[in-house]
Amino acid sequence: MNPMKVCSVRLNDGHLMPMLGLGTSAPSKVPKSKVEEAVKTAIDVGYRHIDSAYVYQNEEEIGRAIWKKIADGTVKREDIFYTTKVWGTFFRPELVLTSLDTSLRKLGLSYVNLYLIHLPVALKPGEKFIPKDKDGEVIFDTVDLCDTWDAMEKCKDLGLTKSIGASNLNRRYLERILNKPGLKYKPVCNQVECHPYLNQSKLLEFCKSKDIILTAYAALGTDFRKEWVNKNCPVLLKDPVLNAIASKHGRTPAQVALRFQLQRGLVALVKSFNKKRIWENYQVFDFQLTPEDMESLDGLNKNIRYFPDEFVNHPDYPFFDEN
């Protein structure tokens, strides 16, 4: 059996996407060598979905890890589902392909499985990921999201990505793409912050109605070592309700938080650089939460975001509301 078919969802373009993926965004203090080791460990454990992005600046290390596991016979290229993303400084249509080419070159791959618009914010092109003026204000660019999407479609037509999708888009932005005249390919997924404290129920309902998979990042809360994370939020994995359900099932709170997303029909991304936790987090396919468990976890929603919005001076702010 094709390993990709195990515990996968079928996207609206026919391709398969594994329901559990390894996230690779890391705090700046984490050596990039740890990302490479984490990817190799994850592939050994059974992960076949690896999520990264141009802006994470770790695709050379991820590429080395993937090729080492191909070389030792653990996987073939077609077993791996790899995601990258185009950052806002590359939103001009003529730069969308440039960003993807750069990622492919760093990875040593001829194609990615999924190419996402990273966020709905066009930024001034250049070397800085978040360009700012002398007053410290973010410098935006005037690019129509639909023009960026046209360029994404061309990347798919060129065979450089199997599928295309979005990240951090609310319903308003998704509708802008879906209603675009001459739309050739719908987004196959929308990757957003999602966990029991931010269950994204309205956005999930909308995405399901449009045959768009919702993918959860920060599914375990977040790593408070990251510089941009809201440090004032409660720690999800210490929540008493989550821990009580975990104790009942003989599981870790992280396993329950991940299982919650899978049973809602989401794809979940989970990140760790610890070998034991990478293994533990993958053990989510051999137990079921009860309807009562799911209701209790759904009731934890507080609309808490661990990732604050840096672009409050953009004319289209706020970006990440459900509606």
Side-chain angles (χ1 to χ4, degrees):
M1 178 181 290
N2 180 352
M4 192 76 82
K5 292 183 179 178
V6 179
C7 304
S8 295
V9 293
R10 190 168 295 279
L11 303 173
N12 62 40
D13 64 0
H15 292 295
L16 292 171
M17 183 182 191
M19 292 188 73
L20 186 66
L22 181 77
T24 62
S25 170
S28 59
K29 294 179 182 179
V30 175
K32 291 184 180 180
S33 60
K34 287 202 174 269
V35 175
E36 182 174 342
E37 290 304 312
V39 172
K40 288 192 293 184
T41 297
I43 291 174
D44 285 337
V45 165
Y47 292 78
R48 295 296 180 262
H49 178 174
I50 311 296
D51 179 271
S52 189
Y54 173 87
V55 78
Y56 298 169
Q57 294 292 282
N58 58 17
E59 292 189 299
E60 289 183 13
E61 289 75 16
I62 293 172
R64 279 201 299 269
I66 291 172
W67 281 109
K68 284 176 181 177
K69 300 320 296 180
I70 291 173
D72 71 13
T74 304
V75 291
K76 298 176 181 178
R77 170 62 187 97
E78 56 266 29
D79 298 330
I80 298 295
F81 187 100
Y82 182 81
T83 299
T84 192
K85 309 177 188 79
V86 58
W87 185 244
T89 52
F90 289 88
F91 274 16
R92 293 184 183 181
E94 66 271 19
L95 297 179
V96 171
L97 177 57
T98 301
S99 176
L100 181 53
D101 277 338
T102 301
S103 289
L104 290 171
R105 186 174 66 252
K106 289 180 177 181
L107 292 159
L109 299 178
S110 60
Y111 69 92
V112 298
N113 297 82
L114 181 59
Y115 193 32
L116 304 180
I117 289 179
H118 202 143
L119 73 172
V121 185
L123 301 168
K124 178 186 176 183
E127 295 297 317
K128 294 184 178 180
F129 293 138
I130 302 181
K132 295 183 179 181
D133 63 19
K134 59 182 176 58
D135 298 317
E137 297 292 333
V138 176
I139 306 173
F140 299 104
D141 199 12
T142 52
V143 182
D144 190 316
L145 186 67
C146 290
D147 291 338
T148 303
W149 190 256
D150 280 338
M152 299 285 286
E153 292 181 327
K154 289 182 174 67
C155 291
K156 178 174 169 67
D157 285 337
L158 289 169
L160 300 177
T161 181
K162 300 292 185 183
S163 302
I164 54 177
S167 179
N168 296 308
L169 266 62
N170 60 20
R171 175 174 179 162
R172 177 165 46 100
Y173 280 105
L174 287 171
E175 287 180 330
R176 188 179 299 181
I177 293 174
L178 293 171
N179 295 330
K180 184 183 81 70
L183 180 69
K184 191 170 185 180
Y185 305 116
K186 291 200 307 183
V188 299
C189 72
N190 185 26
Q191 185 184 125
V192 298
E193 180 181 350
C194 187
H195 42 75
Y197 285 169
L198 180 69
N199 65 24
Q200 299 278 17
S201 58
K202 292 181 182 178
L203 187 59
L204 175 59
E205 182 181 359
F206 173 76
C207 285
K208 283 184 175 181
S209 75
K210 301 298 182 182
D211 196 18
I212 296 171
I213 295 294
L214 200 63
T215 299
Y217 70 76
L220 304 183
T222 192
D223 187 338
F224 285 93
R225 293 175 298 173
K226 288 184 175 179
E227 296 83 354
W228 58 87
V229 163
N230 186 344
K231 307 294 195 296
N232 298 318
C233 294
V235 178
L236 173 66
L237 295 183
K238 293 183 179 179
D239 184 271
V241 173
L242 181 63
N243 277 265
I245 293 172
S247 178
K248 182 179 74 170
H249 289 276
R251 298 285 174 160
T252 68
Q255 288 169 338
V256 170
L258 292 170
R259 185 69 208 177
F260 170 66
Q261 302 292 16
L262 301 184
Q263 287 187 212
R264 299 170 76 213
L266 279 79
V267 168
L269 302 175
V270 60
K271 184 184 75 249
S272 179
F273 302 104
N274 177 287
K275 288 187 175 182
K276 179 174 180 287
R277 285 196 290 272
I278 290 171
W279 180 86
E280 283 180 347
N281 291 339
Y282 196 71
Q283 312 309 307
V284 293
F285 298 107
D286 59 350
F287 76 103
Q288 286 274 337
L289 298 174
T290 67
E292 292 76 22
D293 295 335
M294 294 294 291
E295 185 176 352
S296 295
L297 292 169
D298 210 39
L300 294 178
N301 185 58
K302 299 176 174 63
N303 290 320
I304 288 175
R305 294 186 183 277
Y306 289 102
F307 292 84
D309 192 341
E310 295 189 57
F311 307 113
V312 293
N313 60 331
H314 190 281
D316 281 348
Y317 178 85
F319 304 114
F320 305 142
D321 61 308
E322 287 191 325
N323 299 310

